[in-house]
Amino acid sequence: MAARSREIGSNAIGFAQDVTNVNSWEELVATTIERFGTIDVLVNNAGIAIPNVSTGVSLSEWNRQIEVNLTAPFCGTQAVVRAMQNFGKGGAIINVSSIAGVVGVAGCAAYSASKGGLRLLTKAMALELAPMGITVNSVHPGLIATAMQDETMTPKQIERMARSVPLKRRGEPVDIAMTILFLATDEARYITGAEFIVDGGMTAQAGMLVD
């Protein structure tokens, strides 16, 4: 991804990171500041899903999803906010949650819990960080053509769910990326603590087809 960005003229860098490791976050922040001189935006986008009902999910599966989907954004935000405070010019934090963090989704108990937790963590942090000029918002993708969805759902499930979307299709990753981009710009400087649902209208319906 970084290489593709450089091809179109950006100054992007990329490296592997364990988002559940606090020290890894500190290294990431230090490297970013060393390379670019400041840090203005954080996008917490890492996530995993291990589908299972609440009575069937193992404790290790539960803990892993909470760790990656909720604890990691918490750790990342702490590390980045400390840097943003030092620069004193505000910033933007965007947390990628899910529509499963807004409405309950059967068969995704731990995932829903982690993404719902991220939704409310976003709102609490937005209130706490507003005096520093740091905005915090969440983005909630619906049925999006990603590798994670392809790995956790069968083609038949995807087809059935796509038919239930008012726009009658899956979204593309760029649909989420453009929402994130907007929230990272000055055009969104007066938006904080908000949730942006990007789902083709799925959650606007009285009922959702989820299996």
Side-chain angles (χ1 to χ4, degrees):
M1 185 65 70
R4 290 177 58 189
S5 297
R6 287 194 295 271
E7 289 174 1
I8 60 174
S10 78
N11 191 28
I13 59 173
F15 51 89
Q17 181 205 3
D18 178 0
V19 294
T20 66
N21 185 306
V22 174
N23 292 332
S24 180
W25 276 109
E26 297 296 344
E27 293 171 5
L28 173 64
V29 170
T31 300
T32 301
I33 294 172
E34 180 182 1
R35 177 65 179 270
F36 300 104
T38 186
I39 185 165
D40 304 298
V41 179
L42 168 65
V43 179
N44 285 306
N45 186 49
I48 61 170
I50 308 173
N52 208 335
V53 296
S54 57
T55 53
V57 64
S58 69
L59 182 59
S60 62
E61 290 173 335
W62 171 275
N63 287 340
R64 182 58 177 165
Q65 290 173 90
I66 297 296
E67 183 181 38
V68 174
N69 298 343
L70 180 56
T71 305
F74 165 75
C75 294
T77 299
Q78 279 196 329
V80 169
V81 165
R82 283 193 289 269
M84 288 179 172
Q85 283 180 291
N86 289 336
F87 289 110
K89 56 190 183 71
I93 297 169
I94 301 105
N95 294 321
V96 180
S97 179
S98 167
I99 60 170
V102 179
V103 297
V105 177
C108 294
Y111 181 76
S112 294
S114 66
K115 291 298 189 177
L118 183 57
R119 171 177 174 259
L120 289 182
L121 178 65
T122 298
K123 295 181 184 298
M125 284 185 164
L127 298 176
E128 295 170 353
L129 301 179
M132 306 173 200
I134 300 172
T135 62
V136 192
N137 294 289
S138 58
V139 176
H140 299 260
L143 188 67
I144 307 296
T146 63
M148 186 174 77
Q149 287 193 354
D150 289 340
E151 292 169 0
T152 56
M153 293 190 292
T154 67
K156 184 176 180 180
Q157 288 175 320
I158 292 172
E159 182 182 355
R160 289 184 65 201
M161 288 187 68
R163 289 200 304 268
S164 75
V165 176
L167 290 181
K168 301 302 179 186
R169 61 178 177 82
R170 284 207 289 178
E172 299 292 334
V174 67
D175 298 318
I176 308 305
M178 295 306 292
T179 305
I180 293 171
L181 178 62
F182 165 68
L183 292 171
T185 65
D186 286 341
E187 282 74 11
R189 63 186 181 274
Y190 198 60
I191 300 172
T192 196
E195 54 196 62
F196 288 75
I197 297 175
V198 188
D199 69 350
M202 283 186 73
T203 55
Q205 303 172 107
M208 292 197 315
L209 177 65
V210 295
D211 59 8

